Amino acid sequence: MFKPHYHFFPITGWMNDPNGLIHWKGKYHMFYQYNPKKPRWGNICWGHAVSDDLVHWRHLPVALYPKDETHGVFSGSAVEKDGKMVLVYTYFRDPEHNEGEKEVQCIATSEDGWNFVEYENNPVISKPPEEGIHAFRDPKVNRIGNKWRMVLGSGKDKRIGMVLLYTSEDLVHWDYEGVLFEDESTKEIECPDLVSIGGKDVLIYSVTSTNSVLFALGKLKEGKLSVEKKGLLDHGTDFYAAQTFYGTDRVIVIGWLQNWHRTDLYPTEKEGWNGVMSLPRELYVEDGELKVKPIEELKTLRTGKILEKESSGTYRINTNKNCYEVCCSFQGNLSLALQSELGEVIKLFVEKDTLVVDTTRSGISKGVTKEVKVQRRETDKVRLFIDACSVEMFFNDSVALSFRVHPEGIYNMLDIESYLLKVDIYALKNVWIS
Ligand code: FRU
């Protein structure tokens, strides 16, 4: 009932972070934290999928397995070197059952994008650079000039989140360059990613304190990020561990459409699966601001228009499932509600410079009310992507809000009020059966 129609998810088992996102030999590869054995975290492997267009994905065999259930192949990234795909990841040893370092960094290579061989002299980074570091994981590697640059998620003294910087000439020997960034609002930083967008250096990172993805935009100077602006990459409840693709000419990001603190509220475990990826988004910088919009390719999901209106009112959406896209252009205030016949509702309001989303009565999983300050234009635009267990919202191709929602009914009633309004609703296809 909650299986997504056009989002990536594991057919069975558990999935968390996206890993090793890479455009390699003309195809997009996505790996992910995966437990094939049950819909709960544990026994963490690297699941693998491939796509030609970021919309249709094909599941491939598991790429990396841990030694046993007391180990895990944790998050990391992928790059291309000498025509080969190289995966860089954290190997985890549960300290309750194992000796040695809890988290070390390793590599594996592939010539065909299908079979992966672990490097015989793993690990390539065998211990944290200083005392007091309690988290040391999630390497994200990029090529900068004639060097490889790695950022690692970390935390010190159980008190402060950090991002550590390493460089290498061959992906095997790594030099520690120091602390790139610190955040005192969290004990740990997970899944950092440092990319260059529109002439700025942008650090994307996940914080365990609020289970959200933040960004810090600025300039890298002598191994430190001098921050000009900070903010949330997504303002909803369910977006975590985001990573950008290596090897694309746009900056494309995918996040885990879930949240560790809210996972127990989701009912999908009963269906034998757990975990959804967000839709791919493009990041760009405009007027000094970091902005996010759905990738253009998502328009190919549209199979036809199910509603087109140029006036306010209450409309019945002709759909037999939660699988469609709503696009509205408007001026002034907007009030929009998507309702099911069981009284489940998702509300969205825009008034002056404030956008509010209310998912408190959206269905089984308890929702929230979220508020975000937005920059208005003469005519504003909202786009909502509704799927069986999620809604992702985009305002003016700038701001994103992602929510897991689990309605028992179908949101087939649209109640909308605004001035100068155009509403288009598109049916979207089920990519898993077409
Ligand atoms: C983030 C995270 C990573 C870790 C992985 C383990 O969600 O906790 O820091 O590598 O998940 O599955």
Side-chain angles (χ1 to χ4, degrees), residues 120-336:
E120 55 192 10
N121 294 325
N122 271 337
V124 292
I125 304 180
S126 58
K127 60 176 178 27
E130 17 173 312
E131 290 290 297
I133 288 184
H134 62 267
F136 187 58
R137 58 176 180 272
D138 310 339
K140 174 71 166 94
V141 177
N142 270 315
R143 181 88 181 155
I144 304 296
N146 55 1
K147 280 210 168 173
W148 298 103
R149 182 176 72 187
M150 175 197 288
V151 282
L152 263 181
S154 187
K156 199 173 170 180
D157 303 333
K158 302 263 180 241
R159 192 178 56 81
I160 179 166
M162 300 194 303
V163 176
L164 311 178
L165 180 67
Y166 284 79
T167 57
S168 171
E169 285 183 6
D170 56 8
L171 295 174
V172 171
H173 303 92
W174 289 93
D175 295 320
Y176 177 55
E177 304 285 353
V179 178
L180 176 110
F181 177 81
E182 288 182 343
D183 186 334
E184 296 195 6
S185 73
T186 184
K187 280 195 245 171
E188 242 165 76
I189 286 180
E190 298 185 309
C191 305
D193 192 344
L194 184 62
V195 276
S196 150
I197 314 179
K200 299 284 180 189
D201 293 311
V202 181
L203 176 72
I204 294 162
Y205 62 103
S206 295
V207 289
T208 48
S209 51
T210 51
N211 250 254
S212 42
V213 180
L214 305 179
F215 71 86
L217 178 148
K219 268 275 154 219
L220 200 60
K221 284 188 199 132
E222 288 156 14
K224 298 239 170 299
L225 186 67
S226 149
V227 179
E228 294 159 23
K229 225 162 239 166
K230 268 181 167 180
L232 280 166
L233 197 63
D234 188 290
H235 296 262
T237 43
D238 299 273
F239 187 79
Y240 198 67
Q243 184 176 111
T244 64
F245 272 85
Y246 182 85
T248 51
D249 47 15
R250 306 164 275 172
V251 180
I252 302 169
V253 70
I254 292 182
W256 182 39
L257 199 55
Q258 195 147 325
N259 171 334
W260 289 108
H261 300 167
R262 288 171 39 81
T263 286
D264 286 344
L265 303 169
Y266 311 143
T268 74
E269 200 181 316
K270 291 192 205 93
E271 296 181 359
W273 65 280
N274 211 330
V276 184
M277 288 307 174
S278 77
L279 292 174
R281 298 134 189 231
E282 186 178 337
L283 299 182
Y284 63 106
V285 172
E286 196 179 65
D287 306 327
E289 303 283 338
L290 183 67
K291 301 193 171 175
V292 44
K293 62 179 178 187
I295 58 161
E296 205 47 35
E297 289 90 327
L298 293 171
K299 289 191 179 150
T300 64
L301 284 168
R302 296 174 180 170
T303 55
K305 233 180 219 181
I306 45 184
L307 185 110
E308 187 176 344
K309 287 282 169 200
E310 295 212 16
S311 59
S312 291
T314 301
Y315 308 108
R316 168 130 345 222
I317 309 167
N318 178 16
T319 176
N320 58 5
K321 51 190 188 279
N322 290 317
C323 180
Y324 54 91
E325 178 190 343
V326 179
C327 300
C328 299
S329 311
F330 63 99
Q331 290 181 340
N333 298 346
L334 173 77
S335 154
L336 184 155

Side-chain angles (χ1 to χ4, degrees), residues 396-409:
N396 280 346
D397 274 345
S398 305
V399 173
L401 299 102
S402 305
F403 302 90
R404 288 291 295 276
V405 290
H406 300 92
E408 287 177 288

Side-chain angles (χ1 to χ4, degrees), residues 14 34-36 38 40-45 69 71:
W14 164 274
Y34 180 42
N35 183 0
K38 53 176 188 236
R40 285 246 151 180
W41 189 87
N43 180 49
I44 287 294
C45 307
E69 298 221 0
H71 295 75

